[in-house]
Amino acid sequence: MLIRQKLFQAQEYFHYLMSQVDEHSLHAPFIYDLYTQAIKPRHGDDLYLRQLRKELELNHTEIALVDLGAGSVVAGSDKRKISTIARHSTSSIKTARLIARIAAFAQPETIIELGTSLGLLSLQLHHTCPLSLIHTIEGDPTLSAFSKSHFDKYGEGMIDLRTGNIDDLLPQLVEEIEQVDVVVMDANHTLEATLTYFYLLLKRCHKDSVIILDDIHWSKEMKAAWDEIRNHPEVTCSVDLFQIGIIYFKEEIEKQHWTLTY
């Protein structure tokens, strides 16, 4: 199973390399600005976040976990070290900065994150979008407790952490809010769950909303979910950066898919 999945990922990456383009091939103004202002830049001044990540990667405390579902390296494990989770179950600094820059490009008031883990991406989003209210959902209570300690220290009251099953909590959250500007989906990596969350969140999206999906080439199921989402009639623009996929609903953009160098 693992060998087949690795082979699938390798094939997907080869296809991505053969399809990618950079700013020299971009003629649509919105996509050009997105690429040059949010995707291509690599700099960051998030010293406290890098220090926090380093501390977590050196924390060998074992904690008990519940099954986190498909897509997690700790799925089905009873215990795992904080250091292992920090290294393998959270976005890298590079990816976290990328997601946060894409979010900031949308100038959001409201962000929803599915899959908090240790809270590093949540804090990166807050660091880059300090005026945005971030709603984040984590299914594992132990991970949620770790995240809360970081949010209390660095979150400035702008991160709303909810603990429990996304299947139960997301419908409640959708009922509470009027609209969502940015969604980051990095939770249950199955076809059914990904599509369920997408169609639920679609109710609160508007023409300037952006949805960011992590691990779109992680498995055949995630690739199938990505293909269905980007081909949805309300989606007018999709961007494939291999690690993540981005979708927009802008009415002024003619429907098109981009595979961009990153």
Side-chain angles (χ1 to χ4, degrees), residues 163-221:
T163 306
N165 193 323
I166 294 176
D167 295 350
D168 299 326
L169 296 183
L170 184 58
Q172 298 173 16
L173 178 58
V174 168
E175 288 301 314
E176 292 176 18
I177 63 175
E178 293 185 4
Q179 67 178 31
V180 59
D181 305 308
V182 172
V183 175
V184 181
M185 295 176 59
D186 184 17
N188 191 340
H189 287 37
T190 64
L191 174 64
E192 181 180 4
T194 302
L195 293 179
T196 296
Y197 302 155
F198 168 73
Y199 285 111
L200 189 57
L201 289 160
L202 191 60
K203 299 176 182 179
R204 293 294 182 262
C205 288
H206 52 88
K207 69 179 185 67
D208 294 317
S209 296
V210 53
I211 297 181
I212 305 166
L213 298 96
D214 196 26
D215 291 327
I216 58 173
H217 297 285
W218 183 79
S219 66
K220 289 184 178 180
E221 281 198 49

Side-chain angles (χ1 to χ4, degrees), residues 4-253:
R4 288 200 299 270
Q5 184 172 350
K6 292 297 183 183
L7 179 60
F8 171 78
Q9 293 171 354
Q11 292 171 336
E12 289 292 292
Y13 188 61
F14 177 77
H15 179 71
Y16 166 77
L17 291 177
M18 294 298 101
S19 306
Q20 64 182 344
V21 298
D22 59 17
E23 69 266 35
H24 302 295
S25 301
L26 303 179
H27 305 295
F30 173 76
I31 295 299
Y32 180 85
D33 289 344
L34 173 68
Y35 186 76
T36 56
Q37 296 176 29
I39 295 174
K40 190 176 179 180
R42 302 292 178 95
H43 59 276
D45 59 352
D46 44 6
L47 180 61
Y48 79 92
L49 284 170
R50 283 181 280 137
Q51 181 60 39
L52 176 58
R53 182 181 292 269
K54 184 179 296 184
E55 291 174 5
L56 292 172
E57 289 178 351
L58 294 175
N59 185 340
H60 301 301
T61 303
E62 280 194 336
I63 59 175
L65 297 170
V66 298
D67 189 339
L68 301 183
S72 171
V73 297
V74 297
S77 301
D78 293 326
K79 290 186 176 181
R80 206 72 174 185
K81 292 181 179 179
I82 292 294
S83 55
T84 302
I85 299 171
R87 291 191 188 101
H88 302 294
S89 300
T90 57
S91 299
S92 67
I93 292 176
K94 176 182 174 182
T95 302
R97 285 177 175 170
L98 170 65
I99 291 172
R101 290 196 305 271
I102 294 167
F105 188 77
Q107 299 180 322
E109 294 183 6
T110 303
I111 298 173
I112 292 179
E113 179 194 24
L114 304 183
T116 315
S117 189
L118 294 173
L120 292 172
L121 178 55
S122 309
L123 287 171
Q124 187 75 56
L125 286 165
H126 171 64
H127 177 79
T128 311
C129 310
L131 300 181
S132 302
L133 176 59
I134 301 169
H135 302 282
T136 183
I137 302 176
E138 173 53 48
D140 186 280
T142 307
L143 291 178
S144 184
F146 267 86
S147 297
K148 186 178 186 305
S149 66
H150 305 146
F151 297 163
D152 289 344
K153 184 175 182 179
Y154 300 112
E156 300 175 306
M158 298 300 288
I159 302 178
D160 167 37
L161 172 62
R162 305 186 182 206
T163 306
N165 193 323
I166 294 176
D167 295 350
D168 299 326
L169 296 183
L170 184 58
Q172 298 173 16
L173 178 58
V174 168
E175 288 301 314
E176 292 176 18
I177 63 175
E178 293 185 4
Q179 67 178 31
V180 59
D181 305 308
V182 172
V183 175
V184 181
M185 295 176 59
D186 184 17
N188 191 340
H189 287 37
T190 64
L191 174 64
E192 181 180 4
T194 302
L195 293 179
T196 296
Y197 302 155
F198 168 73
Y199 285 111
L200 189 57
L201 289 160
L202 191 60
K203 299 176 182 179
R204 293 294 182 262
C205 288
H206 52 88
K207 69 179 185 67
D208 294 317
S209 296
V210 53
I211 297 181
I212 305 166
L213 298 96
D214 196 26
D215 291 327
I216 58 173
H217 297 285
W218 183 79
S219 66
K220 289 184 178 180
E221 281 198 49
M222 285 301 295
K223 178 61 163 50
W226 167 242
D227 287 340
E228 179 169 334
I229 290 171
R230 69 186 180 90
N231 288 311
H232 189 276
E234 292 186 39
V235 174
T236 58
C237 176
S238 60
V239 177
D240 184 343
L241 298 177
F242 188 74
Q243 177 66 35
I244 66 171
I246 318 165
I247 62 168
Y248 290 94
F249 306 89
K250 293 184 177 295
E251 299 168 352
E252 66 273 19
I253 298 179

